[in-house]
Amino acid sequence: MAHLLTLHDPAAAREHYLSGIWQTDTLYSLAQRHATERGAAYAVRDSARRLTWRALVQWIDAVAADLHDAGLRSGDRVSIWLPNRLESVVVQLACSRNGYVCNPSLHQNYTVEEIAALLERIECRALFAQPGYGADAGTADIFRRAGTMGHLKRVYALPALTASDADVPAGAHPMPTVGQATRQGLPPASTHPDKIVYLAFTSGTTGAPKGVMHSDNTLLANGRAMVTDWGQNENTVLLTLSPISHHIATVALEQVLVSGGELVVFDPTAGVGALDWILATGATYVMGVPTHAIDLLEAVDRRQLETLGAVRTFYMAGAPIPTEVAARLLSLGAKPQNVYGMTENGSHQYTKPNDPVEVITSTCGKACAGYQIRLWSQEDPNVEVGPGEVGEIGGRGGVLMLGYFNNQSVTENSFNRSGWFLSGDLGQFDELGNLRIVGRKKDLIIRGGHNIHPAHIEEYAHRHPRVRKAAAFGVPDERLGEKVCLTIIGRDGAPGADDLLQHLAREGLSKFDMPEFYAVVDELPLTASGKILKRELMQWVATGRLKPHPVRYRTAP
C-alpha cells in the first residue's frame, strides 16, 4: 500500500461523521448499490453508448481486475487522457473500488510533453489514452513517450469511437472488457471512504497547476448537499457540457452516484451540437459555465424555440451569470443555479431553487451543508473583515480537499493560522448572507492606488445587447501602475467605445472604474473548462498581438 501525506485529521473526521456530512459509502459502493437495486436503469451515456447500472459495474469490475493483474497497489496513481467518453467514468470508479488514486484532469489542449511531465510528477502507474488526441497529436505520440517512463506499469490505448481501425499501438493494451480472463481475479472492494481517490490538477489560470487530493467522502459530501438542495432523484438526467477532465464533470458524477440518475456527457466532436444533444437525451439538469449558456441561447433564438426541452435547472460556475442570460433561461423554463467553487472545495456555494433572480445574478448564494465561509483581510489574512466589507474568501469543512500532492509548502501556505483555506478570490456578503464574488486577488486592477474589481465591469458589459462575452483586465501604465482594458466579443456587430462606456455608466459603473482601453476580438483565450485566461490576454497586449485602443469616458450631456 502506498501512503500519501494528507491533511486528514481524525478529530475533524469524527465530527464530519457525527454530523452526517461524511458517511461510509465510496464512489464505487454507491454504483454497486444502484446496480443491485435498479440494475436495468440507465447510469451513463456518451455519444455512442448508453449503459445501465448493472452493465456499468460489470465493466468497472473488469477494469479493476486488469489493473490489479498489472501489479497496481492501493494508493497508486492512474491517469486518464481521453475525450468525453464514458470510459473515463468506468476508470474513475474502478480506482475507487481498488483504492487507487484517479487523475482525470489531463486536458485536450495539453501537449504530449506537458502530459509526460505531469505523469512523472505523480509517478503514474497506469495511463488510459486515445491515439490522435491532444494539442500536438499530429507530431507527437503519447504511447511512444510512455514507453520511456519506467514508473508506468500499464498503458491502455482506446481507439476513437468513430475509428475503423482498432489497432493498439506497440506496448499498449486494449481497454479491458467484461468477461476478460485475469490471472489473479478480482480483489476485495475497498470500504475505506477516507482514502485519497482523486488527484486533479488545477486549471492553472494564474500559474502552474497544483495536484488537488480528494477522498470519496470529500467528493460525495458535495454531491449529497447539491442533490438534497436541488431535489434530484433517480429520474434526473444530468448532462455536463464541461469536459470530463474538468472538476465540474466530477461534481456531476458525484450527484448522479448519490441520486441514482443518469449521467450524460457531451462530445463536441461527435457531430451533434449541444442543443440537439440536450433535446435528444431528455436532459433535466445541465452543468457548464456561462459561455455554454450564452452559446445555447443563441442557438435557441435562431430556431425560435420556446423551451430547452426537459431542462429545469442550468448549473453555471466559473464566471458571473449575466442578468440577461439568467432572465432568458427563466423564460425558457430553466432555473439558473449560480455556483462558486474550486477544484479544492467543489461546488460549495450556490443559489437555491427558490432564490429570486436578483440573488441568482448578483450572488452565489450560501455555502452548502458541510462547508463554512468567512471573509479575511487582504492585508492580513488572519483578520476577519467587518460586515459589508470585501475580503478574501476562506473556507473549511467536509468538502475541502486533503491537501496538494507532494507539496507541503503550498499546502501549508494555503491556510491562515485559524485553519481556513484561502481561495485567492475576493467576496462580499450581502445583507442576507449571500456571497457576491468580486474577483480574484490576482485579477484586481490597481489604478493609482484605487482598487478596481473586473467582475463589476464585466457584469455591466454583458448587459449590453451587442456584447456576447467580455473580459476586463489591467494593462501597465507608467504613471498610475495599471489602467483598465475591456475586451469583448460582439453580437450582431460590436458596440462602439462611446456607446459601451455610456452603457456602463447607465448600469451604475463608477467613472473611476471606467475602461481606458477597448478592444473587439473574434475569440478570447480559454481554459479547457471555458474560463477566460486573463494572463494570456495581458500577454497578447505585451507582445502586440492585441492592440487595444485608448478610450475616455465623458459624462453624457
Side-chain angles (χ1 to χ4, degrees):
M1 176 184 292
H3 293 282
L4 302 182
L5 297 178
T6 76
L7 294 172
H8 182 80
D9 175 58
R14 184 173 182 274
E15 291 181 9
H16 295 326
Y17 277 110
L18 289 173
S19 67
I21 298 302
W22 286 6
Q23 298 179 19
T24 57
D25 292 310
T26 67
L27 301 174
Y28 173 78
S29 73
L30 287 175
Q32 189 179 47
R33 182 182 305 163
H34 296 311
T36 301
E37 297 176 354
R38 305 170 48 253
Y42 286 114
V44 62
R45 181 177 187 176
D46 66 12
S47 62
R49 287 114 2 126
R50 193 179 188 188
L51 297 183
T52 63
W53 283 105
R54 183 178 299 115
L56 173 62
V57 170
Q58 288 172 344
W59 200 358
I60 292 166
D61 288 349
V63 172
D66 200 76
L67 289 167
H68 183 62
D69 250 11
L72 270 71
R73 60 180 183 170
S74 178
D76 280 348
R77 274 73 71 194
V78 177
S79 293
I80 303 170
W81 195 27
L82 295 172
N84 287 356
R85 50 191 295 173
L86 55 79
E87 283 89 346
S88 294
V89 175
V90 173
V91 175
Q92 189 160 345
L93 295 178
C95 289
S96 173
R97 188 201 184 285
N98 282 12
Y100 310 142
V101 180
C102 187
N103 166 229
S105 59
L106 305 180
H107 304 305
Q108 181 180 12
N109 60 352
Y110 287 178
T111 66
V112 165
E113 281 307 309
E114 288 173 329
I115 293 294
L118 294 175
L119 297 181
E120 289 172 348
R121 182 169 151 191
I122 64 172
E123 297 184 55
C124 178
R125 298 296 188 225
L127 170 67
F128 292 78
Q130 177 176 299
Y133 186 68
D136 59 349
T139 58
D141 183 351
I142 185 58
F143 298 98
R144 186 176 295 114
R145 183 68 174 85
T148 68
M149 299 183 196
H151 50 78
L152 276 169
K153 293 185 175 182
R154 185 68 56 96
V155 177
Y156 298 91
L158 284 64
L161 294 177
T162 56
S164 55
D165 182 4
D167 288 345
V168 174
H173 294 254
M175 181 76 179
T177 56
V178 176
Q180 178 176 312
T182 58
R183 296 189 310 274
Q184 302 183 56
L186 193 62
S190 169
T191 57
H192 180 26
D194 297 333
K195 66 183 181 299
I196 298 298
V197 71
Y198 178 82
L199 194 166
F201 291 107
T202 57
S203 57
T205 57
T206 59
K210 301 182 287 288
V212 177
M213 297 187 294
H214 276 284
S215 67
D216 294 85
N217 256 328
T218 59
L219 294 176
L220 288 172
N222 195 192
R224 291 186 192 103
M226 297 189 76
V227 166
T228 298
D229 288 335
W230 280 82
Q232 298 179 51
N233 56 38
E234 66 274 9
N235 298 314
T236 298
V237 179
L238 193 160
L239 187 152
T240 173
L241 294 171
S242 292
I244 291 186
S245 58
H246 187 260
H247 195 70
I248 286 177
T250 300
V251 175
L253 176 59
E254 298 160 12
Q255 294 180 83
V256 166
L257 289 170
V258 171
S259 70
E262 182 180 13
L263 174 65
V264 180
V265 299
F266 171 60
D267 180 3
T269 69
V272 179
L275 178 57
D276 286 326
W277 190 231
I278 287 170
L279 298 176
T281 58
T284 61
Y285 183 111
V286 175
M287 297 180 67
V289 297
T291 299
H292 292 132
I294 292 168
D295 293 344
L296 273 172
L297 291 175
E298 290 183 352
V300 166
D301 290 341
R302 284 194 300 269
R303 300 191 197 181
Q304 299 181 329
L305 300 180
E306 296 182 357
T307 69
L308 261 179
V311 177
R312 295 295 171 262
T313 306
F314 203 122
Y315 163 120
M316 282 175 279
I321 301 177
T323 303
E324 292 304 312
V325 170
R328 188 75 180 94
L329 285 171
L330 287 167
S331 73
L332 295 170
K335 188 81 171 186
Q337 183 186 22
N338 196 344
V339 182
Y340 166 69
M342 305 168 65
T343 305
E344 287 87 342
N345 48 25
S347 299
H348 66 79
Q349 195 89 13
Y350 46 83
T351 53
K352 303 289 176 54
N354 294 326
D355 283 336
V357 66
E358 315 85 69
V359 170
I360 295 170
T361 56
S362 63
T363 81
C364 293
K366 297 181 175 68
C368 70
Y371 207 63
Q372 298 173 277
I373 287 291
R374 290 186 184 177
L375 302 180
W376 303 88
S377 168
Q378 298 175 60
E379 287 72 37
D380 185 347
N382 298 307
V383 175
E384 194 171 355
V385 302
E389 294 183 15
V390 172
E392 182 172 1
I393 301 167
R396 66 182 183 186
V399 306
L400 185 61
M401 66 164 185
L402 295 174
Y404 295 114
F405 177 80
N406 201 23
N407 202 330
Q408 180 75 12
S409 176
V410 171
T411 299
E412 288 181 350
N413 291 329
S414 297
F415 294 81
N416 69 8
R417 69 185 179 199
S418 301
W420 294 77
F421 171 73
L422 300 173
S423 65
D425 293 322
L426 301 176
Q428 183 181 40
F429 289 121
D430 69 11
E431 62 277 6
L432 298 176
N434 297 300
L435 180 67
R436 183 170 62 88
I437 307 302
V438 174
R440 283 197 63 79
K441 283 176 67 176
K442 293 183 179 180
D443 283 348
L444 187 69
I445 302 167
I446 304 177
R447 182 190 186 278
H450 171 60
N451 291 347
I452 300 174
H453 301 289
H456 291 162
I457 303 170
E458 293 159 357
E459 160 65 11
Y460 295 149
H462 279 129
R463 296 178 187 175
H464 194 290
R466 288 162 59 198
V467 172
R468 184 165 177 264
K469 297 177 185 175
F473 58 96
V475 294
D477 181 80
E478 288 186 5
R479 188 173 73 87
L480 296 171
E482 287 183 299
K483 289 184 176 180
V484 178
C485 177
L486 178 61
T487 300
I488 72 157
I489 298 176
R491 178 188 288 116
D492 300 326
D498 289 341
D499 176 11
L500 187 52
L501 292 176
Q502 293 300 326
H503 163 81
L504 295 174
R506 288 193 298 272
E507 291 295 327
L509 186 66
S510 164
K511 65 179 181 180
F512 300 108
D513 293 354
M514 282 291 174
E516 294 177 86
F517 288 91
Y518 179 58
V520 178
V521 296
D522 295 327
E523 61 179 3
L524 292 165
L526 303 174
T527 67
S529 59
K531 299 177 185 177
I532 295 172
L533 278 167
K534 293 190 179 180
R535 70 164 185 266
E536 187 138 336
L537 282 172
M538 296 174 190
Q539 185 64 24
W540 285 8
V541 173
T543 60
R545 176 176 174 178
L546 178 64
K547 298 179 179 178
H549 301 287
V551 296
R552 183 179 178 185
Y553 167 69
R554 293 177 176 82
T555 306

